[in-house]
Amino acid sequence: MMFLAFALALVVTATTAAFFKWRIPVWTGAMAGVLLLFTLSGQPGPLTLFLSWLALAVVAVPLNHIPWRREFLTHPILQAFEKMMPQISETERVALDAGTVGFEGELFSGNPNWDRFTRQPLGELTVEEQAFLDGPVEALCDMIDEWETTHFRANLSEEIWAHLKKHGFFGMIIPKAYGGLGFSAVAHRAVLQKVSGMSSTLGSVIAVPNSLGPAELLMHYGREDQKDHYLPRLADGREVPCFGLTSTTAGSDATSIADYGVVCRGQWQGKETLGIRLTFEKRYITLAPVATVVGLAFRLYDPEALLGDTEDIGITLALIPADTPGVDIGRRHFPLNNPFPNGPIRGNDVFIPMDYLLGGEEHVGQGWRMLVECLSVGRAISLPSSATGGAKTAAMVTGAYARIRKQFNLPIGRFEGIEEALARIAGYTYAISALSRQTATVVDAGEKPSVPGAIAKYQATEMSREIIKDAMDIHGGKGIILGPKNYLGRAWQGAPIWITVEGANILTRSMMIFGQGAIRCHPYVLKEMQALEIPNDEERLKTFDQLLFAHIGHSISNAARSFVLGLSFGGFVAVPGDRKTKAYYRKLSRYSAAFAFMADITMLTYGGKLKQKEKISGRLADILGQLYICAAMMRRFEHDNRPAADQPILAWAFHDAIYKIQHAMRGVIDNYPLRWARPFLRFVVFPLGRIERAPNDRLGHKVAQLMLSPSETRSRLTRGIYRSDRTNQAVGVLEALLPDVIASEPIERKMLKALRLGDISGYTFDEQLDDARQKGVLTEQEADLMADVRQRSLDVVSVDDFDLATLQAGLTRMGDAIREGKSQEAA
């Protein structure tokens, strides 16, 4: 019995030291103190005590005697570390150096400060920004006719183009000093959210000039004369920009692009000039067909040493007027029936002067770094904001439709199968909205969130794909029949586009999120890598020793925290919140510690091979992404002053995310290469087993019901989207009809009861309604309401039909263009 007490005392002391990250001397003293107490008591026996003292001495003496530790422990580990370090490509090195680390770094620490995080206010719109949304943006949404745009025009109307230019939509990120709007990232998000909820075509046109493009690059790296010339013209729409990065042979590995330029002398405007002769073939370039100025990425070579001693200078950027001789631009791709301007750019033997280089000669060879630093900001806003708008619109129209559409004399939203999809739509919409606002807020705080931006792009577009799938399922035939009355079909067609652009989601998940985060956001890994580059051997060993044992302590601490918090349901951490939300924060602290521990274990096990273990990296990316989403949702909930009515949606979204975290952690452990270690990992990460469950049916029912009627919760969930019925847009029509449908339901039940009892009769609804009116079953007011709701509901659920000539009219120009292109190729 005494031996068990002795063993338990040692384990508790060691675990406590690890949990609270005691320094090595403090841990040594604590363990020695426990041994001393038992030694003085004479229990549990001299042999056990002697062996325990010996074990402590063997471990503690080398750890506390720094010279011995460095010679016999750190030095061999340093040599092994140098060998196992992965070979980092130029692309990866630049990506690692770009961006900043924010709250995601605390998730890697395993001990996030939730109170500090949630107390930071979320970004809000200024009076000027709100006025822009209520004025020019609202007016722009009034003009949208997505069927005309996508089926007949394959382009925006001249009226919309003029409106965009007149009101500065292309210059939202350009400072006012250059004629731009100078809006915040939160305002940028709000504009894209509102417009993209109505038209992904129009949303794309607005997003690109305000994301990765000439304006962003000019503001950071442009010469003053370039800024003075281009930024005012970009702001007022005199210049329409595009940026050519992706080439035919290089997409994700952009540093391998085959497009090249050679420094040489040539004729420019009648004079011999030092310049660059370019050959390039770009594709998938948004706005290229309508662009007047082209940003171009290419590899620059200087074989004649006209700029210096280096021949292969590297990725370089230039700004080229679209009418430059030799530039072939204007043709269009047709991405899944979404006609936003997108197409190829080609050039062969195109000569440009050195003045066209973005930032001038001093920025040659720095193009990839310039792109990555700007891309982290654009990726954090454009697609997450657009996905938010699409999700909110789908949530609003689908909730209303599920109440208006009836089967078996019941709103389809009352059926459990529909409830399940509605709950998923609401939960994912809440998560996407919180995530996109979080990333926009950190951009406004001055961060360049490379890892959160990748998380937001991947998670927002994946969840929005699930949302539109569920919305289509609920709408049934209404969703698949294209025409002016269809408000979902184009969004469904376009979902794979947003999955693909700005870094395909498979790549983003399996390589970028954890691949960058594990090095950049980890408290020690990047510092350890940098320590290897210290030229002085003694200083390198000293620095690496300090980092190594801090890292080891970090890993042991997170293992202890994962185990203890798993056993205690997070009971040993101080967290903010009320009775319900405290449990959420504790759960997040527990899984943050488990994630940090698993990240260290996988990096230690795989070393440089982790780059190729994309399935493992993808699962760890899922864990990090869901933790970040949960953090964003909690911050939103706190910012909204913890509205009790929103609790069911938050609970659904939170438990869904936690369940996914558990599933991903199980996948990492089940596929861990050392089979004998798997039970230990399960014991540390899941000491009580896998106890998380997906949101249950009762919770899903509560969430679904919130979608079926107007409420503050439903309004908060969908705030910021266009909902006017002035122009007969679907969102406004459905929202205007919904209260009347709800008001008519008791009347309808009274009428159906009378019909069952034989008090009224008739073959059609109109005959039954007239009979009910005449016999006094319904008052005149009730009958009028029923007639009105019936007609408006039929209008909502109706679909389009066409004669063949009308359908062919929308396709004729496309066919003519294809035939013309083939003729040109043959010629």
Side-chain angles (χ1 to χ4, degrees):
M1 191 68 182
M2 183 57 71
F3 179 81
L4 290 176
F6 173 70
L8 182 62
L10 290 177
V11 170
V12 169
T13 303
T15 303
T16 303
F19 189 94
F20 293 106
K21 284 191 176 180
W22 290 353
R23 295 171 62 85
I24 292 175
V26 177
W27 166 79
T28 303
M31 296 296 287
V34 172
L35 285 177
L36 181 60
L37 286 175
F38 279 92
T39 300
L40 292 174
S41 69
Q43 297 293 334
L47 180 60
T48 301
L49 290 170
F50 171 75
L51 292 175
S52 299
W53 279 108
L54 180 62
L56 179 62
V58 168
V59 173
V61 171
L63 290 179
N64 285 277
H65 192 273
I66 304 301
W68 289 1
R69 187 178 81 187
R70 290 178 183 170
E71 182 177 355
F72 297 109
L73 294 177
T74 305
H75 187 262
I77 294 174
L78 174 59
Q79 291 179 319
F81 190 72
E82 289 174 329
K83 292 179 181 178
M84 68 183 291
M85 269 296 300
Q87 190 70 30
I88 299 177
S89 69
E90 180 188 353
T91 306
E92 294 168 317
R93 187 177 297 279
V94 172
L96 287 173
D97 291 338
T100 58
V101 178
F103 182 73
E104 65 278 10
E106 294 195 34
L107 296 175
F108 268 94
S109 77
N111 190 19
N113 189 325
W114 297 111
D115 187 61
R116 180 176 60 199
F117 175 70
T118 55
R119 285 182 183 275
Q120 296 170 348
L122 286 169
E124 298 283 1
L125 298 174
T126 65
V127 173
E128 179 187 7
E129 290 167 345
Q130 186 62 58
F132 186 78
L133 281 165
D134 295 338
V137 179
E138 185 81 3
L140 178 64
C141 291
D142 284 345
M143 300 176 190
I144 293 173
D145 185 336
E146 190 73 342
W147 175 247
E148 179 184 306
T149 297
T150 58
H151 188 69
F152 291 104
R153 288 183 178 275
N155 195 4
L156 303 177
S157 69
E158 291 301 321
E159 179 188 23
I160 288 179
W161 279 112
H163 186 85
L164 293 174
K165 295 176 180 180
K166 176 181 178 181
H167 294 284
F169 278 83
F170 297 154
M172 289 192 292
I173 65 171
I174 296 176
K176 292 182 179 180
Y178 293 100
L181 298 176
F183 280 174
S184 65
V186 170
H188 184 180
R189 167 189 180 267
V191 172
L192 289 179
Q193 172 184 266
K194 191 167 186 173
V195 173
S196 298
M198 295 298 298
S199 169
S200 58
T201 304
L202 182 52
S204 299
V205 169
I206 296 172
V208 169
N210 292 288
S211 180
L212 177 61
E216 179 84 10
L217 291 163
L218 279 166
M219 288 189 295
H220 286 87
Y221 310 107
R223 298 192 316 263
E224 289 304 316
D225 63 306
Q226 290 176 328
K227 293 179 183 178
D228 292 339
H229 174 75
Y230 276 115
L231 289 179
R233 299 170 67 85
L234 290 169
D236 63 19
R238 281 176 290 166
E239 299 278 12
V240 177
C242 71
F243 192 87
L245 176 59
T246 303
S247 67
T248 54
T249 57
S252 302
D253 185 11
T255 56
S256 298
I257 56 178
D259 312 293
Y260 67 93
V262 178
V263 180
C264 62
R265 294 189 178 277
Q267 291 294 314
W268 184 256
Q269 297 178 349
K271 297 180 181 179
E272 184 177 289
T273 306
L274 181 65
I276 300 169
R277 199 163 295 281
L278 293 165
T279 298
F280 54 90
E281 185 172 359
K282 303 290 187 180
R283 59 179 177 177
Y284 312 145
I285 310 305
T286 300
L287 291 188
V290 296
T292 60
V293 59
V294 178
L296 192 74
F298 58 93
R299 183 169 288 276
L300 182 63
Y301 297 94
D302 185 14
E304 299 179 29
L306 297 174
L307 299 181
D309 298 332
T310 304
E311 180 176 352
D312 184 354
I313 295 176
I315 302 298
T316 301
L317 309 183
L319 288 179
I320 306 172
D323 59 1
T324 299
V327 174
D328 180 8
I329 191 170
R331 293 186 63 80
R332 293 178 180 242
H333 301 309
F334 194 44
L336 291 177
N337 252 6
N338 192 319
F340 64 91
N342 183 280
I345 310 172
R346 302 180 181 93
N348 186 31
D349 204 28
V350 177
F351 183 80
I352 62 171
M354 299 300 288
D355 284 347
Y356 281 11
L357 292 178
L358 203 155
E361 291 183 28
E362 60 267 31
H363 282 86
V364 296
Q366 300 180 36
W368 182 237
R369 177 182 60 81
M370 296 157 68
L371 289 171
V372 170
E373 289 179 352
C374 292
L375 182 60
S376 65
V377 174
R379 185 185 281 127
I381 298 173
S382 296
L383 286 172
S385 304
S386 300
T388 301
K392 288 185 174 183
T393 300
M396 176 164 278
V397 297
T398 305
Y401 186 85
R403 186 67 177 262
I404 294 166
R405 180 73 163 125
K406 291 183 170 62
Q407 293 284 282
F408 309 106
N409 295 320
L410 276 176
I412 61 172
R414 302 297 188 195
F415 293 92
E416 287 193 355
I418 302 295
E419 280 187 351
E420 187 175 21
L422 281 174
R424 197 160 44 238
I425 290 172
Y428 286 172
T429 299
Y430 191 92
I432 293 174
S433 178
L435 180 59
S436 66
R437 192 170 181 188
Q438 164 68 16
T439 53
T441 296
V442 299
V443 169
D444 280 334
E447 293 186 29
K448 294 181 178 178
S450 55
V451 174
I455 290 171
K457 188 272 171 181
Y458 171 74
Q459 294 288 351
T461 54
E462 286 293 335
M463 286 189 285
S464 67
R465 175 159 60 176
E466 293 301 309
I467 287 170
I468 190 62
K469 183 189 76 172
D470 284 329
M472 289 288 287
D473 283 352
I474 291 172
H475 280 75
K478 171 70 177 176
I480 65 172
I481 303 301
L482 289 176
K485 296 177 181 178
N486 187 307
Y487 43 84
L488 289 178
R490 295 304 192 198
W492 169 254
Q493 287 179 315
I497 300 173
W498 323 128
I499 298 297
T500 302
V501 299
E502 290 193 13
N505 276 10
I506 289 179
L507 166 78
T508 302
R509 173 181 178 265
S510 62
M511 296 181 67
M512 292 178 61
I513 295 174
F514 185 76
Q516 289 186 31
I519 297 175
R520 180 146 192 84
C521 302
H522 193 283
Y524 300 107
V525 171
L526 183 58
K527 295 176 184 177
E528 289 167 336
M529 294 171 63
Q530 292 169 341
L532 298 183
E533 300 176 1
I534 298 175
N536 182 278
D537 291 344
E538 184 177 345
E539 184 63 28
R540 180 168 68 251
L541 181 62
K542 176 183 176 181
T543 302
F544 187 78
D545 175 79
Q546 294 171 344
L547 292 169
L548 172 65
F549 284 93
H551 190 163
I552 292 172
H554 167 79
S555 300
I556 295 173
S557 176
N558 280 316
R561 287 175 58 82
S562 175
F563 177 74
V564 172
L565 296 179
L567 278 179
S568 64
F569 301 98
F572 291 95
V573 288
V575 294
D578 55 23
R579 180 179 61 83
K580 291 184 177 180
T581 56
K582 278 181 182 292
Y584 294 168
Y585 289 119
R586 291 190 180 110
K587 199 176 286 285
L588 289 175
S589 293
R590 175 252 172 118
Y591 283 112
S592 176
F595 165 70
F597 169 65
M598 294 179 71
D600 274 336
I601 288 294
T602 52
M603 285 190 285
L604 174 65
T605 304
Y606 292 106
K609 294 181 180 179
L610 185 58
K611 283 174 56 176
Q612 285 79 46
K613 299 298 180 181
E614 295 174 18
K615 296 174 185 177
I616 296 295
S617 182
R619 294 182 183 108
L620 290 166
D622 292 340
I623 300 168
L624 178 60
Q626 294 299 333
L627 285 171
Y628 197 83
I629 289 171
C630 286
M633 292 192 297
M634 298 308 297
R635 189 176 183 185
R636 168 187 172 155
F637 191 68
E638 298 288 352
H639 183 81
D640 289 343
N641 295 316
R642 302 177 188 166
D646 293 6
Q647 174 66 31
I649 299 180
L650 171 65
W652 192 99
F654 184 88
H655 289 300
D656 177 74
I658 293 295
Y659 185 70
K660 289 174 179 174
I661 289 172
Q662 177 182 264
H663 179 74
M665 286 184 170
R666 177 187 179 182
V668 174
I669 295 172
D670 288 351
N671 291 278
Y672 191 69
L674 305 177
R675 291 179 177 272
W676 57 266
R678 293 175 190 173
F680 167 74
L681 294 177
R682 293 189 187 101
F683 179 68
V684 171
V685 176
F686 301 120
L688 297 178
R690 294 188 298 273
I691 59 176
E692 306 298 345
R693 297 292 180 267
N696 61 36
D697 294 346
R698 183 179 180 184
L699 179 59
H701 170 75
K702 290 181 180 179
V703 173
Q705 296 312 299
L706 290 171
M707 299 283 287
L708 298 178
S709 58
S711 67
E712 290 185 5
T713 294
R714 190 168 178 270
S715 295
R716 275 190 294 269
L717 183 67
T718 58
R719 61 189 166 198
I721 64 170
Y722 178 83
R723 60 186 75 199
S724 171
D725 63 347
R726 290 186 302 271
T727 55
N728 206 36
Q729 298 281 15
V731 179
V733 170
L734 285 159
E735 282 302 287
L737 175 56
L738 182 58
D740 292 340
V741 167
I742 295 171
S744 72
E745 286 176 348
I747 305 171
E748 184 180 20
R749 287 194 292 271
K750 182 163 57 172
M751 182 175 162
L752 289 172
K753 181 179 179 181
L755 187 63
R756 282 197 308 272
L757 295 175
D759 295 336
I760 60 173
S761 61
Y763 291 111
T764 66
F765 175 84
D766 290 338
E767 291 175 355
Q768 295 164 5
L769 184 62
D770 286 342
D771 199 29
R773 188 196 304 263
Q774 293 172 8
K775 293 180 177 177
V777 173
L778 301 181
T779 66
E780 287 292 328
Q781 186 178 7
E782 289 174 332
D784 289 344
L785 177 61
M786 284 294 296
D788 177 63
V789 167
R790 172 77 170 186
Q791 183 56 54
R792 290 160 64 197
S793 297
L794 289 174
D795 290 341
V796 163
V797 302
S798 64
V799 296
D800 298 286
D801 52 75
F802 309 89
D803 58 47
L804 182 59
T806 303
L807 283 177
Q808 290 175 331
L811 301 174
T812 298
R813 281 190 296 173
M814 177 63 68
D816 291 344
I818 292 172
R819 285 187 289 273
E820 180 184 350
K822 288 182 178 179
S823 298
Q824 291 176 353
E825 289 177 6

